[in-house]
Amino acid sequence: MSTCEDSDVRADLKRSVMTRVPPLLTDLYQFSMAYAYWRADRHREPAVFELFFRDNPFGGGFSLFAGLNDCLVFLENFAFSDQDVEYLRSVLPANTDPDFFVYLKELDCSSVSVSAVPEGSVVFARVPLLEVSGPLAVVQLLETSLLCLVNYASLVCSNAARFRLAAGPWRRLIEMGLRRAQGPDGGLTASRYTFIGGFDSTSNTLAGRLFGIPVAGTMAHSYVTSFSSLAEVWPQTLTPVGGGSGIDFISQVKGRLSSVCQLLGSKTELIREGELAAFMSFAIAYPHKFLPVIDSYSVSCGLPCFCAVALALCDLKYQPLGVRLDSGDLCRQSLEVRRVFKECSKQFSVPQFESLIIVGTNSISEQSLAELNRKDNEIDVVGVGTHLVTCTRQPSLGCVYKLIEVRGRPRMKLSEDPEKSTLPGRKSVYRLLDTDGHPQMDLICLSDEPVPTAGVSLNCYPLVSETSLQSITPAQVTSLRLDVFTCGQITYPINSASESREQAQISLQMLHPRHKKLQEPHNYTVAVSERLNSLVSDIRRGNNKGSNFLLSN
Amino acid sequence: MSTCEDSDVRADLKRSVMTRVPPLLTDLYQFSMAYAYWRADRHREPAVFELFFRDNPFGGGFSLFAGLNDCLVFLENFAFSDQDVEYLRSVLPANTDPDFFVYLKELDCSSVSVSAVPEGSVVFARVPLLEVSGPLAVVQLLETSLLCLVNYASLVCSNAARFRLAAGPWRRLIEMGLRRAQGPDGGLTASRYTFIGGFDSTSNTLAGRLFGIPVAGTMAHSYVTSFSSLAEVWPQTLTPVGGGSGIDFISQVKGRLSSVCQLLGSKTELIREGELAAFMSFAIAYPHKFLPVIDSYSVSCGLPCFCAVALALCDLKYQPLGVRLDSGDLCRQSLEVRRVFKECSKQFSVPQFESLIIVGTNSISEQSLAELNRKDNEIDVVGVGTHLVTCTRQPSLGCVYKLIEVRGRPRMKLSEDPEKSTLPGRKSVYRLLDTDGHPQMDLICLSDEPVPTAGVSLNCYPLVSETSLQSITPAQVTSLRLDVFTCGQITYPINSASESREQAQISLQMLHPRHKKLQEPHNYTVAVSERLNSLVSDIRRGNNKGSNFLLSN
């Protein structure tokens, strides 16, 4: 991979994309509430929200957290334009106090602070990933935009990690979902976060330019079908690698084609002139990068054409790259293609045919990728689009953003649906590691509790399960969140996509394989401290100052 | 709905959003092919592509076509920046002819023309929706961007139309999926196209400003849980509608609360002071727009609070709007809420309580909406997020863009997968109507065939089905596509979201109910003319000049 731009330029470019998120891109009710807070003179009250999701996606045992960089750039640039404010004036009730709009015009995030899990970390359901504190009205206004920036980024990044696990570590994965994404920005987001999740490259050229992601891609069927005759091949000569005078490439290929058809027992009557012309023309344009799609008509006619052109390239000392298969039973076809490559290698003494690459691209899903590891096949590189970027199995992560504290008092939402209840109060989150260095539990404590000590037993209440008291002695304790935004300033490096990808790989490597199983993974324990558990019980019973029942007060 | 901007400003704004789609937002292989065409001096050859999808989404009988406006604005602005070209130079092979980059710098769509189905039209699988003609390299480069702009727009618009059909015509539908969309732009696209598909409003404020879509929304649970005491209610007085001195609203509500609890047999000990304070405070800020969410703790405590505050508003001659339910069994709860409203109406002589609105919002899917029509309930307005914008049931439409003609010669892709084959040649598409004015068949002809005549029998071959010859006599014949872009100029009005929505409603109304059934709809016939059918057969057999077999030539 190569790019023409240094990382500074790229960072600028990236910011210029990211700052497109205007603060008006939020739900109207945020403004309705902000006005009600302002009207009650509560808008400056210190408040804290936290962002989390309730279930690991795709029935899996983990997720990857992503979207943080976009959130930080969004927060740094948060300000309403005059036009924004005039629009809000037109949709809020006519009797809204005009001073509220003056207030909106002056708003920014200079009083907001955020702590967060680093981008690309392995995370689990119900762990607060982002804690946002600041004036009540401002942190309320941020809700929808932050959710929008984290939800899909984390989902598609986690999906990519699963595809990577399914594919195994050595098979190369190309993301090519732009045409099936939710519009242009959805496509860019998909390319960025699938790379972070473990893909090797993208077909999305803009993502390559903006994020420095390696780009990949050769030809579509339309290229093949656009040719109908050898007369369209131009120029008709190709200079050998070592230099010298151009060789008549058409004659060279035709000679090779007869031998190939003879070797393979192919009927030359089935060779399509247009397909052969397309391959020749592409080889002349890309003699070092020859990798055509060979099933525009059928593999049985595309493969001999490829072999003939590739052999002609070898004759001129070029190294053809391989082929792409885009339909039918990829496993079966790849075996046949490899067999032919080996036969050619032997017959024509071209050892480089042994290492030709076979790319497979045909509605690849996590399941079909996993199958590649079970069935015999010779596919080296897989291109994935639709199922990856749309996250077919579960197209939404369902992150939520919940109020946990106002004016130093813990707040909690109860609900008719128990899983919609929240955990009150400001918290610290610790990842407890076992003696092998594997994460064994995420522990959510109130922020004023002492940090758990390695080697010392502690009591906690696992969430989800039967909430019975459990005792655990961590071998190591790490704090999961960092201060990333303090009083309007980004205090955390805006990582490049490559850096976040590395963080994801490290974080995934630490996780025990039992939690990474794609089917029926072992549950990872997320627990609350005894004190947090007591606070929840108190609030449920109405015994907490923060949740008075009306007449018991 | 009201907006502060006239439609000109809005059109400008909209264009400024749309023109964000840079031409580099495409797959790398488009550039690989463009260079190979350029190298073979084929880049200026006249070529034609068409865009279609292979199956109606969601197992349905139809789709809505959307995204056209975005395509037109994209085409009009298509040009590479110097930085784009420098980036491409860095990723294409080092031996790429430098003159190719000069060519790229000068590229635009001034030689491109497009005919298309109007935005918001009912369309069917395999009908070419967009025909793009121009220089081979340019129309190839447009592929991914056009697909990206049409795919999700049409999918989510069709999904919205299904939700509308499931909800029935009278129930109001609010789109509120921004936080679950594929990032900011995905969210904007969702808001725009679900409105066109039949939703009434959106929670997405920026979509309101940019597209003139009505916006809606009141409060989240966090607003309720942010309050803990009546001391937080400020101001504590409210002026009656007719004017006069402010009334002590807290006392007014407290008085009403006792009566309500007595009437409902509610225990006042279960009323949460914070929830009551939140409702009061919101009512004071929005006395004309009072519609709180009443299940932040439980409906049994939220409902008496609502009634007390709403009654106090009525005392001051305000008209409360209603309530929102966001968890649990919405049907059952809405019946209970309506029963209470009626009891209050009778007991307290407030007839306006009879017409209070009940809004339901809790992971609404097409199925749960359809259930509302089968089960007793009192839900007037439904807010839909995740399942609408992510299109859970089928998160991708799978539009494709296929080469059909080069230099006047028809082109066709055959395939190992028969459904991946394409229809060759430049075409006209006619919608044949029956005597009741319902569409009965879409007929795809070669463009040089005569227009079918109303009242005259014609023969055709239905696609998909058993391809046996069928005879049909249309009562009316309409041409499905219009010229929308001619030699670089948009020649079709850029419709507002409202105009496209109207087009969608008209087009859907014409469609016979049997094709609109959400489950097991009747198949709508898409057929090809006899001449097109012959061309396909010729090419399959290799008898066509455009698809020579190598040695039969």
Side-chain angles (χ1 to χ4, degrees):
Chain A
M1 170 227 166
S2 60
T3 88
C4 64
E5 294 172 277
D6 64 39
S7 60
D8 278 357
V9 175
R10 226 161 38 223
D12 281 355
L13 261 172
K14 202 183 69 192
R15 286 190 181 221
S16 76
V17 178
M18 295 312 165
T19 51
R20 281 180 186 171
V21 180
L24 213 58
L25 189 78
T26 188
D27 292 311
L28 181 68
Y29 76 177
Q30 311 294 3
F31 296 103
S32 308
M33 290 187 276
Y35 175 63
Y37 286 136
W38 181 88
R39 182 91 170 90
D41 200 27
R42 296 193 60 207
H43 54 295
R44 283 177 300 239
E45 286 183 11
V48 188
F49 281 81
E50 63 189 21
L51 186 152
F52 60 95
F53 58 90
R54 295 189 180 111
D55 297 293
N56 294 315
F58 315 115
F62 72 96
S63 181
L64 288 177
F65 174 63
L68 177 61
N69 289 350
D70 300 355
C71 290
L72 295 178
V73 176
F74 164 72
L75 293 171
E76 197 183 45
N77 290 281
F78 185 86
F80 294 98
S81 71
D82 289 352
Q83 294 97 313
D84 290 341
V85 173
E86 288 318 300
Y87 175 71
L88 289 170
R89 198 192 296 274
S90 77
V91 292
L92 289 175
N95 60 343
T96 303
D97 189 326
D99 284 349
F100 174 64
F101 300 107
V102 177
Y103 163 73
L104 279 184
K105 278 190 196 181
E106 289 164 2
L107 266 195
D108 61 28
C109 282
S110 56
S111 307
V112 172
S113 293
V114 178
S115 79
V117 173
E119 176 116 331
S121 303
V122 165
V123 292
F124 303 96
R126 305 206 72 91
V127 172
L129 307 173
L130 216 65
E131 186 201 76
V132 183
S133 59
L136 179 55
V138 181
V139 289
Q140 179 70 66
L141 281 171
L142 303 176
E143 175 178 20
T144 313
S145 314
L146 293 178
L147 286 173
C148 182
L149 290 171
V150 168
N151 245 326
Y152 177 64
S154 296
L155 181 73
V156 80
C157 191
S158 306
N159 203 26
R162 291 177 64 90
F163 275 74
R164 165 53 69 203
L165 287 169
W170 62 270
R171 202 170 262 129
R172 267 165 49 211
L173 294 177
I174 308 174
E175 177 272 319
M176 34 180 256
L178 176 57
R179 61 188 66 189
R180 306 291 161 81
Q182 283 183 13
D185 217 48
L188 267 186
T189 310
S191 301
R192 176 171 169 84
Y193 293 105
T194 53
F195 176 67
I196 293 176
F199 271 59
D200 298 294
S201 56
T202 178
S203 69
N204 182 339
T205 317
L206 188 60
R209 179 174 162 225
L210 296 179
F211 309 129
I213 302 173
V215 286
T218 58
M219 70 160 71
H221 297 292
S222 56
Y223 184 82
V224 177
T225 58
S226 81
F227 284 82
S228 52
S229 131
L230 293 182
E232 289 160 331
V233 178
W234 185 261
Q236 302 190 336
T237 57
L238 184 60
T239 311
V241 168
S245 58
I247 306 290
D248 175 351
F249 197 64
I250 295 186
S251 306
Q252 192 76 17
V253 170
K254 277 186 167 174
R256 284 304 199 168
L257 184 64
S258 311
S259 326
V260 168
C261 286
Q262 206 171 359
L263 172 71
L264 305 181
S266 306
K267 291 183 184 154
T268 43
E269 310 90 76
L270 291 179
I271 300 300
R272 289 185 182 261
E273 183 175 341
E275 188 168 33
L276 188 63
F279 289 5
M280 281 188 207
S281 189
F282 207 75
I284 290 166
Y286 296 104
H288 294 286
K289 298 259 184 188
F290 182 57
L291 193 156
V293 59
I294 61 168
D295 57 352
S296 296
Y297 300 104
S298 83
V299 174
S300 59
C301 60
L303 184 56
C305 288
F306 168 80
C307 291
V309 175
L311 283 169
L313 281 174
C314 292
D315 293 340
L316 276 64
K317 309 297 176 207
Y318 291 100
Q319 169 65 60
L321 287 186
V323 297
R324 178 159 80 98
L325 297 169
D326 188 42
S327 57
D329 180 340
L330 298 181
C331 287
R332 184 185 55 71
Q333 290 185 104
S334 70
L335 291 171
E336 169 64 11
V337 168
R338 184 70 70 202
R339 188 189 63 72
V340 167
F341 288 169
K342 287 186 172 158
E343 252 185 275
C344 286
S345 164
K346 208 167 120 189
Q347 176 73 22
F348 304 112
S349 304
V350 279
Q352 55 268 58
F353 259 57
E354 300 264 353
S355 53
L356 287 170
I357 292 166
I358 302 176
V359 182
T361 58
N362 182 23
S363 295
I364 301 287
S365 63
E366 183 189 308
Q367 288 69 25
S368 57
L369 255 187
E371 248 176 44
L372 290 189
N373 287 333
R374 288 194 295 270
K375 281 166 78 172
D376 266 358
N377 72 85
E378 290 284 342
I379 297 168
D380 306 291
V381 181
V382 182
V384 194
T386 310
H387 294 294
L388 176 67
V389 306
T390 65
C391 302
T392 325
R393 275 187 68 187
Q394 182 189 323
S396 163
L397 180 57
C399 278
V400 293
Y401 181 85
K402 296 294 174 187
L403 181 68
I404 53 163
E405 188 184 280
V406 181
R407 272 187 296 134
R409 285 175 161 194
R411 311 307 310 155
M412 178 176 178
K413 179 187 174 303
L414 302 170
S415 173
E416 306 271 328
D417 300 340
E419 75 276 16
K420 279 196 168 185
S421 295
T422 59
L423 291 173
R426 211 154 176 175
K427 308 174 191 83
S428 296
V429 187
Y430 302 101
R431 181 154 290 175
L432 312 185
L433 309 184
D434 64 17
T435 46
D436 296 325
H438 293 304
Q440 62 176 158
M441 174 187 284
D442 281 8
L443 180 70
I444 309 173
C445 303
L446 289 170
S447 58
D448 56 359
E449 292 189 64
V451 181
T453 312
V456 176
S457 162
L458 61 88
N459 291 329
C460 60
Y461 288 85
L463 291 171
V464 185
S465 75
E466 320 69 35
T467 61
S468 59
L469 190 67
Q470 184 180 322
S471 182
I472 186 168
T473 305
Q476 279 181 68
V477 176
T478 58
S479 185
L480 204 56
R481 290 195 313 231
L482 303 171
D483 293 329
V484 295
F485 189 84
T486 306
C487 299
Q489 300 294 316
I490 297 176
T491 55
Y492 178 76
I494 297 281
N495 283 341
S496 70
S498 292
E499 287 160 343
S500 297
R501 185 175 191 269
E502 204 174 322
Q503 163 76 23
Q505 298 311 309
I506 292 169
S507 195
L508 275 165
Q509 271 160 24
M510 286 179 71
L511 192 63
H512 193 282
R514 65 173 169 260
H515 302 302
K516 287 189 277 197
K517 281 175 64 187
L518 298 179
Q519 310 299 331
E520 300 176 12
H522 286 225
N523 264 340
Y524 182 86
T525 306
V526 175
V528 297
S529 67
E530 287 189 278
R531 271 195 50 209
L532 178 51
N533 190 62
S534 302
L535 177 62
V536 170
S537 305
D538 283 354
I539 293 183
R540 282 195 189 280
R541 284 195 302 268
N543 290 344
N544 184 276
K545 191 82 190 98
S547 64
N548 307 332
F549 287 113
L550 182 60
L551 304 179
S552 67
N553 183 17
Chain B
M1 172 229 163
S2 60
T3 88
C4 63
E5 295 173 277
D6 64 39
S7 60
D8 279 357
V9 174
R10 229 165 29 229
D12 282 353
L13 261 173
K14 202 182 67 191
R15 284 188 181 225
S16 75
V17 178
M18 297 311 164
T19 51
R20 280 179 187 172
V21 180
L24 212 57
L25 190 78
T26 188
D27 293 310
L28 181 68
Y29 76 0
Q30 312 293 2
F31 295 104
S32 307
M33 290 187 277
Y35 174 63
Y37 286 136
W38 181 89
R39 181 89 171 90
D41 200 27
R42 296 194 60 206
H43 55 294
R44 283 176 301 239
E45 286 183 11
V48 188
F49 280 81
E50 63 189 22
L51 185 153
F52 60 95
F53 57 90
R54 295 188 180 113
D55 296 294
N56 293 313
F58 315 115
F62 71 96
S63 182
L64 288 176
F65 174 63
L68 177 60
N69 288 351
D70 300 356
C71 290
L72 296 178
V73 175
F74 164 72
L75 293 171
E76 197 183 44
N77 291 281
F78 185 87
F80 294 99
S81 70
D82 289 351
Q83 293 96 317
D84 290 341
V85 173
E86 288 317 301
Y87 175 71
L88 289 170
R89 197 192 297 273
S90 76
V91 292
L92 288 175
N95 60 343
T96 304
D97 189 326
D99 284 348
F100 175 63
F101 300 107
V102 177
Y103 163 73
L104 281 184
K105 278 190 195 182
E106 288 164 3
L107 265 196
D108 60 26
C109 282
S110 56
S111 306
V112 172
S113 292
V114 178
S115 80
V117 173
E119 176 117 330
S121 302
V122 166
V123 291
F124 303 96
R126 306 206 71 92
V127 172
L129 307 173
L130 214 67
E131 187 201 77
V132 183
S133 59
L136 179 55
V138 181
V139 290
Q140 179 70 67
L141 281 172
L142 302 175
E143 174 178 23
T144 312
S145 314
L146 293 177
L147 286 172
C148 182
L149 291 170
V150 168
N151 245 326
Y152 177 65
S154 295
L155 181 73
V156 79
C157 191
S158 306
N159 203 26
R162 291 178 63 90
F163 274 74
R164 165 53 70 204
L165 288 168
W170 62 270
R171 202 172 263 129
R172 268 165 49 211
L173 294 177
I174 307 173
E175 176 271 319
M176 34 181 255
L178 176 56
R179 63 189 66 189
R180 306 291 162 82
Q182 283 183 10
D185 216 49
L188 267 185
T189 310
S191 301
R192 177 171 168 86
Y193 293 105
T194 53
F195 177 68
I196 293 175
F199 270 58
D200 299 294
S201 55
T202 179
S203 69
N204 182 340
T205 316
L206 188 62
R209 180 176 162 222
L210 295 179
F211 309 129
I213 302 173
V215 285
T218 59
M219 70 162 73
H221 297 291
S222 56
Y223 184 82
V224 177
T225 56
S226 82
F227 284 81
S228 51
S229 133
L230 293 182
E232 290 160 330
V233 179
W234 186 261
Q236 302 191 336
T237 58
L238 184 61
T239 311
V241 168
S245 57
I247 305 292
D248 175 352
F249 197 63
I250 294 188
S251 305
Q252 194 75 18
V253 171
K254 277 186 165 173
R256 284 304 201 169
L257 184 64
S258 309
S259 325
V260 167
C261 287
Q262 207 171 359
L263 173 71
L264 304 181
S266 307
K267 292 184 186 152
T268 44
E269 309 90 75
L270 291 180
I271 301 300
R272 288 183 184 260
E273 183 174 340
E275 187 168 36
L276 188 63
F279 289 5
M280 283 189 205
S281 191
F282 207 75
I284 290 165
Y286 297 105
H288 294 286
K289 297 259 184 189
F290 183 56
L291 195 156
V293 60
I294 62 168
D295 57 353
S296 296
Y297 301 105
S298 84
V299 174
S300 59
C301 61
L303 184 56
C305 288
F306 168 80
C307 291
V309 175
L311 283 169
L313 282 174
C314 291
D315 294 339
L316 276 62
K317 308 299 176 206
Y318 290 100
Q319 170 65 61
L321 287 186
V323 297
R324 177 160 80 97
L325 297 169
D326 187 41
S327 56
D329 180 340
L330 298 181
C331 287
R332 184 185 55 73
Q333 290 185 105
S334 71
L335 291 170
E336 169 64 9
V337 168
R338 184 69 72 203
R339 190 188 63 73
V340 166
F341 289 168
K342 287 188 171 157
E343 252 185 274
C344 287
S345 164
K346 209 166 119 192
Q347 176 73 19
F348 305 112
S349 304
V350 280
Q352 56 269 57
F353 258 59
E354 301 264 352
S355 53
L356 287 171
I357 291 166
I358 302 176
V359 182
T361 58
N362 182 23
S363 294
I364 301 287
S365 64
E366 183 189 308
Q367 290 68 25
S368 57
L369 255 186
E371 249 177 42
L372 290 187
N373 287 334
R374 288 194 296 269
K375 281 166 78 173
D376 266 359
N377 73 85
E378 290 286 343
I379 297 168
D380 306 291
V381 180
V382 182
V384 194
T386 310
H387 295 295
L388 176 66
V389 306
T390 65
C391 302
T392 325
R393 275 187 68 188
Q394 183 189 322
S396 164
L397 181 56
C399 278
V400 293
Y401 181 85
K402 296 294 173 188
L403 181 68
I404 55 166
E405 191 184 277
V406 180
R407 271 186 297 134
R409 285 175 163 193
R411 312 306 311 154
M412 178 176 179
K413 178 189 175 304
L414 303 170
S415 173
E416 305 273 327
D417 300 341
E419 75 275 16
K420 281 196 167 183
S421 295
T422 60
L423 292 172
R426 210 155 176 175
K427 309 174 191 82
S428 295
V429 186
Y430 302 102
R431 182 154 289 174
L432 311 184
L433 308 184
D434 64 18
T435 47
D436 296 325
H438 293 305
Q440 61 177 158
M441 175 187 283
D442 282 7
L443 180 70
I444 309 173
C445 302
L446 290 171
S447 57
D448 57 358
E449 293 189 65
V451 181
T453 313
V456 177
S457 162
L458 61 88
N459 291 331
C460 60
Y461 288 85
L463 291 171
V464 186
S465 74
E466 320 69 35
T467 60
S468 59
L469 190 68
Q470 184 180 322
S471 181
I472 187 169
T473 306
Q476 279 181 67
V477 176
T478 58
S479 185
L480 203 56
R481 289 195 312 230
L482 304 171
D483 293 329
V484 295
F485 190 85
T486 307
C487 299
Q489 300 293 317
I490 297 176
T491 55
Y492 179 76
I494 297 281
N495 284 340
S496 69
S498 292
E499 287 160 344
S500 296
R501 187 175 189 270
E502 204 174 322
Q503 162 77 23
Q505 298 311 307
I506 292 168
S507 195
L508 275 166
Q509 271 159 26
M510 287 179 71
L511 192 62
H512 193 283
R514 65 175 168 260
H515 301 302
K516 285 188 279 197
K517 283 174 63 188
L518 298 179
Q519 310 300 330
E520 298 174 14
H522 287 224
N523 265 340
Y524 182 86
T525 306
V526 175
V528 296
S529 68
E530 288 189 278
R531 270 196 48 211
L532 178 49
N533 189 64
S534 303
L535 178 61
V536 169
S537 306
D538 284 353
I539 293 183
R540 280 195 190 281
R541 285 194 301 266
N543 290 344
N544 183 277
K545 191 83 190 97
S547 64
N548 308 330
F549 287 111
L550 181 59
L551 304 179
S552 67
N553 183 22

